[in-house]
C-alpha cells in the first residue's frame, strides 16, 4: 500500500478516537475536530517517518499532545483554514453540545497532566511503558497519575449524569 | 485499574457526535503542505547560498553592504553599483491559498517599503500595517525603488504607491517569525486576493468610494455607471445587512434587510440592477425574496459597513 492509501486507512480508523481525545484534553467539540485534523495533517507531511515508527499510535498521539499544547500557547491561531466552510445550515446542535459539555464537566477537575495520561492509556491504549516514553515520565508516575485520574472520575457526579438515556 | 469510571467515561465519550473524517480533504491539504515545505527548503538553500556568496564578497573586500531584512538596502536610484534587474524582497507568507477558508476582516493601505526594505501597508497618518501574504506571493524592488507584489503565478497584483484592500485577520507574528515582521506586534494575515482600490475622487465621500469598507469588491458595471433606463450587473456589500449600495458611483439606500447580517449569508450579493427613474433602482439577486428598490441616500457617518 502506498503512503496515501496507508494514511487514508489510518486516518479513517483513528479519526473518532483523536477527536474524543481532544475533548478529553479540554477542547470543545469543534476545537477537537480541528485538533484531530491538524494532527493528521502534520503526520501526513512526514508519513514515511510515521510508518517507520515502532509504535505508530504512540507517534501520532505524541503529535496530538504537541499540537494541543501549541494551540493553548497560541490562542490566536486556533482557527486553521479548512477545505470545508462551516457556513451552512445545520441541525439543532443542542444535543451535541450537551454531550460534549458532559465530558467537559466530568473531566473538569483533572489536571492537564492527568488528562494526557488518560488519553494515552485509555483512548490510544498505549502500554504504561509506551505512555511513559511519550510523556517523558517514569512508568510508575504514569501508573499513579492514571490511578488518581480514575479515582477523581469515580467521584465525579457528572460522569454518570452526563450520559444520554 | 478501576474499570467503573473508565467504563463510564467510555460511554460518555461514545455519545459525542463526532463528524465523519474528511480524509480526501486531509490528503489535499497535506499535499499542499508538502509542496510548501519543499519550496521553503529550496528557498532556504538558495538563501544560504546567497549568504555564503555575500560573505565571500565582503571577505574579498567587495563593496556590497549588508542589506536590510527586506534585502534592498543600498539599491538607491542612480547608484552605479545597483543592479539593473529587480531585486527580490524577503516577503513573509502564511500558507493561505485560494479555496482555503479565510477570516473576514479587511485591511487597506498603500503598498510600500519601510526603511528596512520590508513590504508594508501604509494607512496614512503614521499608521503602518505589516502583513503575511498568501502562499507563493513574492515581491521585488526595482533599482529605482518601486516595489512590485506578485501572486503565486508570478502575476503582478500591486505596485508601490497603489492602495490595496485585502481580506484576512489580525494576529500575532509569533507563529511566523520573520525579519520583516515586528516581534510581538499585531500583523495582518492576508487570506484573500489582493484588490486595487481606485483613488477617491475629490467629490466622493468616504462612503461612496468604499474607503474603510468593501467598495473595491463592488465589481458590477452598475456600481460605477447606471444611467436611467439601463440594466447592468450590480454587487452589493451586505456584511452588516442589506441597506446601502454603491450605484452609479454614489450611495443608495433601501429598507434594511437581514437584521445586521447578510440576508442570504453571503457578504457580496451579485445580481442585476435596473434604473427605472432618476431616483429609483430595482435590484434582483438569487437568494433574495424579491426585487429590492434603492433610492439615493445621504452618507451616514455612523454606518461603517458600505
Amino acid at each position: 500500500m502506498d503512503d496515501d492509501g496507508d494514511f487514508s486507512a489510518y486516518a479513517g480508523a483513528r479519526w473518532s478516537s483523536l477527536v474524543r481525545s481532544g475533548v478529553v484534553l479540554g477542547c470543545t467539540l469543534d476545537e477537537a475536530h480541528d485538533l484531530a485534523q491538524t494532527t493528521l495533517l502534520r503526520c501526513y507531511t512526514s508519513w514515511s517517518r510515521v510508518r517507520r515508527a515502532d509504535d505508530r499510535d504512540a507517534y501520532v498521539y505524541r503529535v496530538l499532545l504537541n499540537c494541543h499544547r501549541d494551540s493553548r500557547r497560541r490562542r490566536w491561531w486556533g482557527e486553521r483554514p479548512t477545505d470545508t466552510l462551516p457556513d451552512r445550515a445545520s441541525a439543532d446542535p443542542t444535543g451535541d453540545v450537551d454531550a460534549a459539555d458532559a465530558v467537559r464537566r466530568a473531566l473538569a477537575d483533572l489536571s492537564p497532566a492527568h488528562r494526557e495520561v488518560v488519553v494515552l492509556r485509555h483512548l490510544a491504549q498505549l502500554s504504561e511503558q509506551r505512555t511513559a516514553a511519550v510523556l517523558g515520565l517514569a512508568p510508575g508516575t504514569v501508573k499513579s497519575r492514571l490511578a488518581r485520574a480514575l479515582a477523581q472520575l469515580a467521584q465525579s457526579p457528572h460522569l454518570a449524569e452526563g450520559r444520554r438515556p | 485499574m478501576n474499570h467503573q469510571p473508565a467504563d463510564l467515561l467510555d460511554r460518555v465519550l461514545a455519545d459525542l457526535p463526532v463528524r465523519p473524517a474528511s480524509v480526501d480533504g486531509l490528503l489535499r491539504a497535506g499535499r499542499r503542505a508538502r509542496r510548501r515545505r519543499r519550496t521553503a527548503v529550496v528557498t532556504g538553500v538558495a538563501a544560504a547560498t546567497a549568504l555564503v556568496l555575500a560573505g565571500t564578497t565582503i571577505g574579498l573586500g567587495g563593496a556590497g553592504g549588508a542589506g536590510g531584512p527586506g534585502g534592498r538596502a543600498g539599491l538607491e536610484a542612480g547608484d552605479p553599483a545597483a543592479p539593473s534587474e529587480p531585486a527580490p524582497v524577503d516577503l513573509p507568507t502564511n500558507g493561505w491559498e485560494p479555496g482555503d477558508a479565510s477570516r473576514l476582516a479587511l485591511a487597506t493601505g498603500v503598498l510600500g517599503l519601510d526603511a528596512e526594505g520590508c513590504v508594508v501597508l501604509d494607512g496614512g497618518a503614521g499608521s503602518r500595517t505589516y502583513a503575511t501574504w498568501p502562499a507563493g506571493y513574492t515581491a521585488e524592488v526595482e533599482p529605482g525603488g518601486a516595489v512590485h507584489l506578485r501572486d503565486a503565478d508570478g502575476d503582478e497584483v500591486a505596485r508601490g504607491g497603489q492602495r490595496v484592500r485585502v481580506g484576512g485577520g489580525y494576529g500575532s507574528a509569533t507563529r511566523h517569525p520573520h525579519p520583516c515582521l515586528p516581534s510581538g506586534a499585531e500583523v495582518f494575515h492576508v487570506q484573500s486576493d489582493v484588490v486595487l482600490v481606485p483613488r477617491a475622487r475629490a467629490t466622493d465621500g468616504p462612503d461612496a468610494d468604499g474607503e474603510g469598507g468593501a467598495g473595491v469588491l463592488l465589481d458590477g458595471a452598475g456600481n460605477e455607471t447606471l444611467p436611467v433606463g439601463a440594466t447592468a450587473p450590480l454587487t452589493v456589500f451586505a456584511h452588516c445587512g442589506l441597506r446601502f449600495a454603491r450605484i452609479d458611483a454614489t450611495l443608495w439606500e433601501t429598507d434594511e434587510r437581514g437584521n445586521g447580517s447578510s440576508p442570504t449569508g453571503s457578504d457580496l450579493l451579485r445580481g442585476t440592477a435596473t434604473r427605472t427613474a432618476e431616483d429609483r433602482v430595482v435590484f434582483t439577486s438569487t437568494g433574495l425574496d424579491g426585487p429590492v428598490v434603492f433610492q439615493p441616500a445621504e452618507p451616514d457617518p455612523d454606518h461603517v459597513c458600505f
Side-chain angles (χ1 to χ4, degrees):
Chain A
M1 190 183 291
D2 63 2
D3 272 4
D4 279 7
D6 191 47
F7 171 81
S8 299
Y10 183 89
R14 293 292 189 277
W15 172 256
S16 294
S17 174
L18 291 169
V19 172
R20 292 185 171 114
S21 296
V23 173
V24 171
L25 289 172
C27 298
T28 65
L29 195 55
D30 285 337
E31 289 172 344
H33 282 87
D34 285 350
L35 178 63
Q37 179 173 282
T38 303
T39 298
L40 288 171
L41 196 55
R42 192 174 291 187
C43 290
Y44 176 83
T45 58
S46 305
W47 193 248
S48 58
R49 199 180 306 163
V50 179
R51 292 184 80 168
R52 291 197 305 269
D54 292 338
D55 186 326
R56 191 178 295 190
D57 283 334
Y59 190 107
V60 172
Y61 279 83
R62 190 206 308 262
V63 173
L64 177 92
L65 296 184
N66 288 339
C67 287
H68 178 254
R69 291 167 185 165
D70 284 351
S71 72
R72 299 293 113 166
R73 279 198 295 266
R74 299 162 177 157
R75 296 286 304 170
W76 71 272
W77 199 250
E79 297 288 337
R80 300 296 303 274
T82 67
D83 284 330
T84 306
L85 292 173
D87 294 334
R88 57 177 181 267
S90 60
D92 180 0
T94 308
D96 299 353
V97 173
D98 283 348
D101 190 50
V103 179
R104 289 162 64 84
R105 279 184 282 120
L107 301 174
D109 293 333
L110 293 191
S111 69
H114 285 170
R115 288 166 184 261
E116 291 181 351
V117 171
V118 170
V119 164
L120 295 182
R121 285 285 286 123
H122 196 70
L123 285 114
Q125 298 189 330
L126 302 185
S127 67
E128 278 176 6
Q129 286 73 21
R130 193 68 76 179
T131 300
V134 169
L135 294 175
L137 301 171
T141 307
V142 170
K143 198 170 185 175
S144 62
R145 282 188 185 178
L146 181 65
R148 284 197 201 104
L150 292 176
Q152 278 186 281
L153 286 175
Q155 301 297 320
S156 171
H158 302 294
L159 200 53
E161 288 175 6
R163 290 178 50 209
R164 288 178 178 172
Chain B
M1 180 170 168
N2 182 355
H3 287 281
Q4 190 180 10
D7 291 344
L8 285 173
L9 181 61
D10 271 348
R11 291 172 193 167
V12 175
L13 289 174
D15 280 345
L16 286 175
V18 177
R19 295 191 290 271
S22 173
V23 177
D24 288 343
L26 281 168
L27 286 172
R28 284 196 301 275
R31 288 178 190 129
R32 285 202 301 267
R34 278 181 177 171
R35 280 200 301 275
R36 284 198 291 270
R37 200 165 64 164
R38 278 198 294 268
T39 302
V41 168
V42 170
T43 305
V45 170
T49 306
L51 280 172
V52 169
L53 290 174
T56 305
T57 305
I58 292 170
L60 292 173
R72 66 172 287 274
L75 299 181
E76 300 299 336
D79 181 354
S84 58
E85 295 296 317
V89 174
D90 192 1
L91 190 73
T93 55
N94 57 37
W96 182 90
E97 293 182 346
D100 289 342
S102 58
R103 286 177 281 178
L104 295 175
L106 291 173
T108 62
V110 176
L111 192 73
L113 296 171
D114 68 4
E116 301 296 323
C118 296
V119 173
V120 295
L121 294 177
D122 189 344
S127 74
R128 180 175 283 177
T129 301
Y130 288 86
T132 64
W133 299 88
Y137 268 53
T138 59
E140 59 189 25
V141 62
E142 290 179 346
V147 63
H148 297 259
L149 184 65
R150 298 186 185 281
D151 63 16
D153 295 326
D155 297 327
E156 181 178 300
V157 293
R159 62 180 59 186
Q162 289 182 321
R163 178 173 289 276
V164 300
R165 177 171 288 127
V166 289
Y170 287 94
S172 157
T174 307
R175 191 174 177 88
H176 298 280
H178 189 282
C180 276
L181 296 178
S183 178
E186 192 173 56
V187 301
F188 192 84
H189 301 288
V190 178
Q191 296 173 321
S192 75
D193 293 333
V194 174
V195 185
L196 296 179
V197 180
R199 288 288 187 185
R201 295 196 297 268
T203 54
D204 285 343
D207 46 272
D209 183 65
E211 186 73 20
V216 70
L217 302 172
L218 308 182
D219 51 4
N223 293 113
E224 295 306 316
T225 307
L226 191 65
V228 175
T231 297
L234 187 77
T235 303
V236 178
F237 186 60
H239 180 74
C240 304
L242 176 58
R243 181 181 170 193
F244 291 101
R246 176 182 166 90
I247 302 172
D248 198 25
T250 58
L251 187 67
W252 293 61
E253 186 176 11
T254 186
D255 293 335
E256 185 170 5
R257 293 169 173 78
N259 196 26
S261 298
S262 170
T264 68
S266 177
D267 283 349
L268 292 176
L269 305 183
R270 298 183 194 279
T272 303
T274 301
R275 189 164 185 174
T276 57
E278 187 66 35
D279 59 353
R280 188 172 188 272
V281 167
V282 179
F283 174 66
T284 57
S285 176
T286 305
L288 293 177
D289 293 339
V292 175
V293 176
F294 282 97
Q295 294 181 318
E298 293 296 321
D300 179 351
D302 295 329
H303 194 84
V304 297
C305 200
F306 294 102

